[in-house]
Each structure stands twice: as C-alpha cells, then as structure tokens.
Amino acid sequence: EDKVVQSPLSLVVHEGDTVTLNCSYEVTNFRSLLWYKQEKKAPTFLFMLTSSGIEKKSGRLSSILDKKELFSILNITATQTGDSAVYLCAVEFVSSNTGKLIFGQGTTLQVKP
Amino acid sequence: DGGITQSPKYLFRKEGQNVTLSCEQNLNHDAMYWYRQDPGQGLRLIYYSQIVNDFQKGDIAEGYSVSREKKESFPLTVTSAQKNPTAFYLCASSYLTNEKLFFGSGTQLSVL
C-alpha cells in the first residue's frame, strides 16, 4: 500500500532551537516530494524535491531527499514563534499510469517564546 | 492578486441536506482538487479535475459530487449520502497536475 508517514506528529520547542521533521514514504514510481506549511487554514508551498542529496534552502528552512532510504527531512534553524504551524509532506507518484499525490498526517510544531 | 477563494468559511448542514462549497481561482490553472482534512490525519483527495468538463474520483469520493463547467470554478456538493461530513475542506489548484498546489483558505463544515 502506498503511504507517507511523518514524524514526530507533534513537537514543542523554544525560540532559537533547531528542529528536524521527518517524512518517510513507500510508493511505486516516485516523482517528487513536496513540503507545505499550514498556518491557521491554507497550506503554503515550501519545497519540491526530486533528486537525492541536493539540499533546497530558503532562509532558515532547508530540506533534503534520500531516494535510496525513501525519506526526506525538513530542518528549521533558529526557530521563531512564527514557525508554529502544521508541516505537511506530500509525495507524487505514478500508479496505473495516473499521477497521484498522497499526504502524510502532518507534524504540528509549536515554538514557545 | 491571483489566488484561490473558498466560500463560505463556515457551513452548517442539517440532516438529509445537500450543501455546496464554492471554489474559485484566477490563476489560470487547469487542474483543481478537493481535499478533506480531519484532525490527526493527512489530506485525503475527494475529487480532482485536470480540464474543464472532466473530473475524476479521488480516494474518498462517496457522498460527494463536483462539476467543472468553467476553468475558474470547481464547486463541491456534500450530499446527504455522506454520513460523516464534519471536516475541514480544502480546495487547491495547480498549473500541472499534482505539482506545487496552491490552496484556498478552507471551509469548515459541521453537522447540526
């Protein structure tokens, strides 16, 4: 069965800490892995990863994909209260000649002042 | 500004009632999607449409219906056949299917 599993499900840290969020997957015909940040309501796009070992970076956020071990990590350094959100991982793959996208459960991050 | 607009933000459904959630985008995207989000679960795909006048069932289509008469609009109807409709519903669109989805702000549906 195709699945995407995120860990931890929730995390509480203090401002300035560094956090690592994990996303592992089991799919056939992998195409890409995407990270989204969901504050309040609408998820917003963070990264799209297609190649192993190439780090994508945006400010204090970075992400990398390991296609051999089938996982990705999202790192946030020097966390701020504004980083508090649900972080969603999604994997795009091909099944029965059709592109599909499945989401993990999400990791809820709370950053305390 | 380009984006996706969902309405209403909150909706209440009575027993046996059909309700329709609106989703409009002005991003000129061909693909549009409806997801359901329940607490502690990931987003689950209800329906998607890759082009006007065509749509496909997702993983949890039972009890829902959609239409795609215009490129900009993809309304979702929650029918009385959906026995557990209470959830947060997200509409999304993308230029290419399943790539970099743009999401609306969601509709919280509750049952009276």
Side-chain angles (χ1 to χ4, degrees), chain A residues 11-27:
Chain A
L11 190 56
V12 181
V13 300
H14 288 92
E15 274 191 317
D17 289 349
T18 293
V19 298
T20 298
L21 310 183
N22 302 286
C23 176
S24 63
Y25 60 92
E26 292 180 27
V27 302

Side-chain angles (χ1 to χ4, degrees), chain B residues 7-8 10-22 34 63-66 75-82 85-87 89 107-112:
Chain B
S7 62
Y10 301 95
L11 187 58
F12 296 92
R13 194 192 89 167
K14 295 179 182 177
E15 289 284 341
Q17 186 182 39
N18 293 353
V19 292
T20 297
L21 284 60
S22 170
W34 275 105
Y64 301 97
S65 66
V66 293
L76 173 74
T77 296
V78 183
T79 74
S80 56
Q82 173 49 247
T86 297
Y89 291 86
T107 294
Q108 176 64 50
L109 176 62
S110 303
V111 176
L112 289 175

Side-chain angles (χ1 to χ4, degrees), chain B residues 3-42:
Chain B
I4 300 180
T5 302
Q6 286 188 243
S7 62
K9 289 192 186 320
Y10 301 95
L11 187 58
F12 296 92
R13 194 192 89 167
K14 295 179 182 177
E15 289 284 341
Q17 186 182 39
N18 293 353
V19 292
T20 297
L21 284 60
S22 170
C23 178
E24 304 276 333
Q25 54 100 358
N26 61 3
L27 298 166
N28 200 33
H29 286 167
D30 284 315
M32 296 188 74
Y33 316 79
W34 275 105
Y35 286 93
R36 171 177 171 143
Q37 188 174 31
D38 294 281
Q41 296 193 39

Side-chain angles (χ1 to χ4, degrees), chain A residues 4-13 19-24 35 38 84-89 103-110, chain B residues 37-43:
Chain A
V4 175
V5 177
Q6 291 186 244
S7 64
L9 293 181
S10 64
L11 190 56
V12 181
V13 300
V19 298
T20 298
L21 310 183
N22 302 286
C23 176
S24 63
W35 283 98
Q38 186 176 21
S84 297
V86 176
Y87 290 84
L88 299 168
C89 171
F103 282 81
Q105 320 95 301
T107 293
T108 301
L109 173 64
Q110 182 183 0
Chain B
Q37 188 174 31
D38 294 281
Q41 296 193 39
L43 276 63

Side-chain angles (χ1 to χ4, degrees), chain A residues 27-80:
Chain A
V27 302
T28 53
N29 299 316
F30 171 91
R31 270 190 181 168
S32 65
L33 185 145
L34 303 100
W35 283 98
Y36 290 87
K37 177 182 181 183
Q38 186 176 21
E39 294 176 273
K40 297 178 185 178
K41 301 298 182 186
T44 53
F45 173 81
L46 292 176
F47 299 111
M48 178 176 172
L49 304 156
T50 55
S51 301
S52 271
I54 298 175
E55 185 183 53
K56 294 237 175 160
K57 201 168 169 64
S58 176
R60 296 176 293 102
L61 276 67
S62 63
S63 184
I64 197 161
L65 174 68
D66 186 328
K67 290 167 74 173
K68 183 180 176 185
E69 299 297 330
L70 308 183
F71 76 93
S72 172
I73 60 172
L74 175 68
N75 275 323
I76 308 175
T77 59
T79 51
Q80 302 170 358

Side-chain angles (χ1 to χ4, degrees), chain B residues 48-110:
Chain B
Y48 68 101
S49 168
Q50 295 174 289
I51 199 167
V52 174
N53 291 323
D54 188 43
F55 48 83
Q56 287 78 39
K57 292 182 179 180
D59 300 315
I60 55 166
E62 187 174 347
Y64 301 97
S65 66
V66 293
S67 62
R68 187 88 187 273
E69 297 176 2
K70 298 186 301 181
K71 187 175 185 177
E72 302 80 15
S73 179
F74 192 41
L76 173 74
T77 296
V78 183
T79 74
S80 56
Q82 173 49 247
K83 298 305 179 189
N84 184 24
T86 297
F88 187 59
Y89 291 86
L90 281 163
C91 178
S93 71
S94 64
Y95 180 63
L96 296 173
T97 303
N98 286 331
E99 287 199 2
K100 193 175 177 182
L101 273 62
F102 289 80
F103 286 89
S105 296
T107 294
Q108 176 64 50
L109 176 62
S110 303

